[in-house]
Amino acid sequence: MPTPTRERLVAAAFELFEAQGYDATTVDDIAARAGTGRSTFFRHFRGKEEVVLPDHEALLGRLADRLAVASPGSAGTALREAAGMVLSHYLAEGGTARARYRLSSSVPAIRDRETASVQRYVRLFSQHIHGWLDQEPDGPLRAELVASSVVIAHNHVLRRWVRGETDDPRGELDDALTLALRLLRDPAAPEEPTIVITGGVDDVDDVVRRVREALAPGKNRGRPGIAPT
């Protein structure tokens, strides 16, 4: 199956950027390498800076659709899934994502575009989180903090992955989001109870140990827990 024109242009651009440098590569060079013309390039991209970036429009649209069907009760799950969708997009790019990171580290125009795109994700998350929290104590402030924290958590893990510092980006994102999402719940609200089902265990010390494990920081905090014994 022929590779779609947009994908060929992206692949051609990165090949040329790696081979001869970003500044030395022109739109005409990219179009020629991709086997298209200049006019075809501009039907897909406004300039060579844009060909480097992910398709943020499509990705933001998918996130908006996911968040739109969430409720306050499912907010945490929705935000985890949305952040996971962004990470999955970059992981699927593989070497392209890593090449983009190298370019953004050395080309100010690309770095500026990427920085601006981050704010679009913060605004999208913020819009939906405000809808879930604004009627709660300190809700508007918490909404802003959570929106920024989710994006920061994702970007922290993404940078570690593109730099080759982690082999488990999905697991690290899950852990990072546990920290980022703490303020989804009103800190002043009472903790939910932890339910311990003993199952007929006679060893009291063993039961106590398992209760302590269930109540350990970061485990079952702020949500009902079941510690089977």
Side-chain angles (χ1 to χ4, degrees):
M1 179 181 296
T3 303
T5 302
R6 183 185 179 94
E7 292 181 22
R8 294 207 314 273
L9 288 165
V10 171
F14 277 101
E15 289 171 3
L16 289 168
F17 295 154
E18 291 280 306
Q20 64 190 38
Y22 178 82
D23 291 334
T25 300
T26 67
V27 167
D28 289 333
D29 293 335
I30 297 170
R33 173 66 68 94
T36 67
R38 182 182 179 87
S39 60
T40 299
F41 177 95
F42 284 110
R43 281 199 293 271
H44 292 275
F45 304 101
R46 288 173 290 186
K48 69 176 185 178
E49 296 92 354
E50 191 171 285
V51 76
V52 176
L53 303 177
D55 189 353
H56 288 301
E57 293 298 335
L59 191 50
L60 284 163
R62 290 170 53 207
L63 299 190
D65 290 343
R66 174 63 187 93
L67 296 173
V69 298
S71 65
S74 64
T77 298
L79 290 170
R80 284 181 182 275
E81 291 183 2
M85 289 163 62
V86 181
L87 182 64
S88 293
H89 178 89
Y90 284 98
L91 296 181
E93 288 187 319
T96 297
R98 291 189 168 98
R100 181 185 302 113
Y101 177 75
R102 291 192 294 271
L103 282 171
S104 66
S105 299
S106 59
V107 181
I110 297 175
R111 183 167 58 249
D112 291 345
R113 292 288 293 271
E114 282 283 68
T115 299
S117 72
V118 167
Q119 294 308 309
R120 298 182 65 190
Y121 288 90
V122 173
R123 287 195 297 271
L124 176 64
F125 284 120
S126 178
Q127 172 190 341
H128 289 276
I129 300 171
H130 272 288
W132 301 327
L133 297 186
D134 273 2
Q135 300 308 309
E136 297 186 9
D138 296 322
L141 172 59
R142 287 160 51 213
E144 296 293 328
L145 292 172
V146 171
S148 295
S149 296
V150 168
V151 174
I152 290 170
H154 169 272
N155 290 349
H156 171 77
V157 174
L158 177 62
R159 284 192 298 271
R160 282 180 46 76
W161 175 73
V162 296
R163 293 194 297 250
E165 296 172 357
T166 178
D167 294 323
D168 183 24
R170 297 183 193 280
E172 288 200 6
L173 178 62
D174 188 58
D175 291 340
L177 289 173
T178 296
L179 296 176
L181 295 176
R182 284 182 175 177
L183 283 177
L184 268 180
R185 185 174 181 275
D186 180 4
E191 294 286 338
E192 296 287 349
T194 295
I195 302 171
V196 180
I197 302 174
T198 66
V201 174
D202 295 327
D203 189 338
V204 175
D205 290 337
D206 187 48
V207 172
V208 171
R209 177 183 61 79
R210 297 190 185 200
V211 170
R212 286 175 176 164
E213 290 177 354
L215 295 176
K219 185 174 183 181
N220 297 329
R221 177 163 291 185
R223 61 189 182 209
I226 299 177
T229 65

